[in-house]
Amino acid sequence: MGPAIGIVGGGQLAWMLAEAAQRRQIALQVQTPSTDDPAAALAAGVVEAAVRDVAGTAELATRCSAISFENEWIDLEGLAPLEAQGVQFVPSLSALQPLVCKRNQRELLRRLNLPSPRWFPLTAACPPKSTPVTSAPPRSQAVCPEGFSFPLMAKAATGGYDGKGTAILQGLDDLAALIARVDPENWIVEEFVAFEQELALVAARDRFGEVVCLPLVQTHQHQQVCDWVLAPVEASHALQQAARNIAASLLTSLDYVGVLSLEFFYGRQGLLINELAPRTHNSGHYSIEASSCSQFDLQLLSVSGQAVPEPSLQVPGALMVNLLGFERRSADDPEADYGRQRHALASLDDAHLHWYGKRGSSLGRKLGHLTVLLRSSEAQQRRQEAMERLQQIRAIWPLPEETVAA
Ligand code: ADP
């Protein structure tokens, strides 16, 4: 085995990275708060520490030649001294800085002139400082900046995921209520986009500057949580190229090494970038079975300083369905592992089940995913095939009715 690489985080992304690392005989060390976390059992070693615990990351660094991150909740300031001492973070902390918060992302996209929804900081909707703010400000105290109209989409700049930390604003009352409820410094508000589809792209750049991409895919959300992904999406060559160009511009201008995931809205306005994730992504899970090189392989290769190959689909397509908790079950409930449903899902044709082994279930919690390989090479037929497979899966694993994501 070569030198180990480290990953800060121990959830399902780190777990799938650990699986890929085992296949490639790369030793993967993880930093995660509990040895019950999904990745702990597969990793070559575990630093038992919270993901933002800098001392834990310093310990991880003593075991690894390079360190990457499972999610974007990174304490950049806390880690800066480690980088200054020679710890190799991949991507580097300076490449991560514009990506770790939604406001930084929007500013980056504006700087690079890349298409994204129009937005304003929530502070721009606050009453002037001289106006006394009561705990529930009257609607006259919130201002909708010129050029914007309701509905609007408000988002926490940091800490949000799976729709947590977002709010649809229907009018000035909602805007005023949001200002009263949150720290306006930490929120942005953007135009509500009437998109036709949501698309996603996983890209990677190696330390030699080579950029490669998985195919453009369609993502479908249920109550703001990714429900299913269809790969590849039927898109014109021009659209695919536009998405790849955006990814290459971003990666190159940030001198970013590693995997970067892009989420897009697609519709009348063309492609708009919704969100960037400096890591592997739910929209790329299908690549484990369907691609010559998975998103986890791309991360391992780029983080360990190797060249990334151009991935190619090995099958006409794939459908990935998230298995979201559809009821609350405590960890000691004998049915909490959903053995019956898992068996039925795994028995479907061309299906590959990934069960994350989390303890307990709650509504909307991502407990696993199922990838089904598709056979039709014609795009419309493939979509039809995918929707038929989705129905089969739904009969075994229903959607949560009222998601409170966990
Ligand atoms: P999170 O970080 O919680 O995943 P996102 O910004 O990706 O938040 O938003 C989650 C979902 O909410 C998106 O996938 C999309 O379906 C919807 N959404 C987000 N922003 C907008 C917007 N500006 N207009 C319309 N829908 C939006």
Side-chain angles (χ1 to χ4, degrees), residues 164-187:
K164 283 177 146 196
T166 61
I168 298 172
L169 309 176
Q170 297 293 357
L172 278 177
D173 289 342
D174 288 352
L175 189 59
L178 182 72
I179 291 170
R181 183 169 67 82
V182 304
D183 172 8
E185 297 282 345
N186 189 42
W187 281 67

Side-chain angles (χ1 to χ4, degrees), residues 244-302:
R244 283 167 171 256
N245 286 345
I246 289 172
S249 305
L250 276 164
L251 287 162
T252 308
S253 61
L254 293 173
D255 193 14
Y256 183 107
V257 177
V259 169
L260 176 77
S261 307
L262 298 88
E263 291 175 52
F264 298 100
F265 298 135
Y266 179 64
R268 254 184 327 121
Q269 299 182 67
L271 273 183
L272 293 178
I273 302 165
N274 170 33
E275 204 180 4
L276 305 169
R279 52 168 169 83
T280 54
H281 195 254
N282 201 170
S283 66
H285 290 354
Y286 74 90
S287 63
I288 296 173
E289 287 85 16
S291 174
S292 57
C293 190
S294 77
Q295 61 168 349
F296 301 101
D297 293 320
L298 293 175
Q299 189 178 15
L300 288 171
L301 292 171
S302 48

Side-chain angles (χ1 to χ4, degrees), residues 73-331:
W73 303 322
I74 302 166
D75 179 1
L76 293 173
E77 269 176 39
L79 295 176
L82 295 185
E83 196 172 52
Q85 287 158 26
V87 172
Q88 222 198 332
F89 292 109
V90 185
S92 66
L93 300 185
S94 62
L96 285 165
Q97 196 278 335
L99 301 170
V100 293
C101 130
K102 287 187 183 172
R103 181 169 178 162
N104 294 8
Q105 290 189 8
R106 289 278 179 260
E107 283 167 353
L108 170 75
L109 297 173
R110 184 185 281 166
R111 231 175 17 251
L112 296 179
N113 224 353
L114 292 173
S116 61
R118 291 182 309 114
W119 67 280
F120 59 88
L122 184 56
T123 47
C126 289
K129 282 255 162 15
S130 54
T131 316
V133 180
T134 59
S135 61
R139 50 184 291 171
S140 60
Q141 287 190 358
V143 196
C144 182
E146 221 181 294
F148 287 91
S149 58
F150 294 100
L152 291 166
M153 184 61 125
K155 297 181 175 178
T158 53
Y161 69 102
D162 286 351
K164 283 177 146 196
T166 61
I168 298 172
L169 309 176
Q170 297 293 357
L172 278 177
D173 289 342
D174 288 352
L175 189 59
L178 182 72
I179 291 170
R181 183 169 67 82
V182 304
D183 172 8
E185 297 282 345
N186 189 42
W187 281 67
I188 60 167
V189 182
E190 59 189 35
E191 62 177 322
F192 196 88
V193 181
F195 53 79
E196 285 158 26
Q197 280 186 349
E198 290 189 76
L199 307 178
L201 185 75
V202 171
R205 181 172 178 269
D206 64 26
R207 73 185 175 97
F208 311 104
E210 189 71 29
V211 174
V212 299
C213 296
L214 290 172
L216 192 60
V217 300
Q218 180 186 356
T219 68
H220 182 266
Q221 334 301 319
H222 171 73
Q223 294 169 353
Q224 295 186 312
V225 182
C226 176
D227 170 15
W228 53 260
V229 172
L230 175 61
V233 68
E234 57 277 33
S236 67
H237 181 70
L239 180 60
Q240 306 206 29
Q241 209 46 50
R244 283 167 171 256
N245 286 345
I246 289 172
S249 305
L250 276 164
L251 287 162
T252 308
S253 61
L254 293 173
D255 193 14
Y256 183 107
V257 177
V259 169
L260 176 77
S261 307
L262 298 88
E263 291 175 52
F264 298 100
F265 298 135
Y266 179 64
R268 254 184 327 121
Q269 299 182 67
L271 273 183
L272 293 178
I273 302 165
N274 170 33
E275 204 180 4
L276 305 169
R279 52 168 169 83
T280 54
H281 195 254
N282 201 170
S283 66
H285 290 354
Y286 74 90
S287 63
I288 296 173
E289 287 85 16
S291 174
S292 57
C293 190
S294 77
Q295 61 168 349
F296 301 101
D297 293 320
L298 293 175
Q299 189 178 15
L300 288 171
L301 292 171
S302 48
V303 173
S304 59
Q306 301 178 59
V308 289
E310 184 73 46
S312 60
L313 273 181
Q314 303 295 290
V315 284
L319 173 75
M320 190 278 330
V321 182
N322 273 334
L323 305 174
L324 305 174
F326 55 85
E327 57 193 359
R328 283 173 223 283
R329 280 191 183 173
S330 70

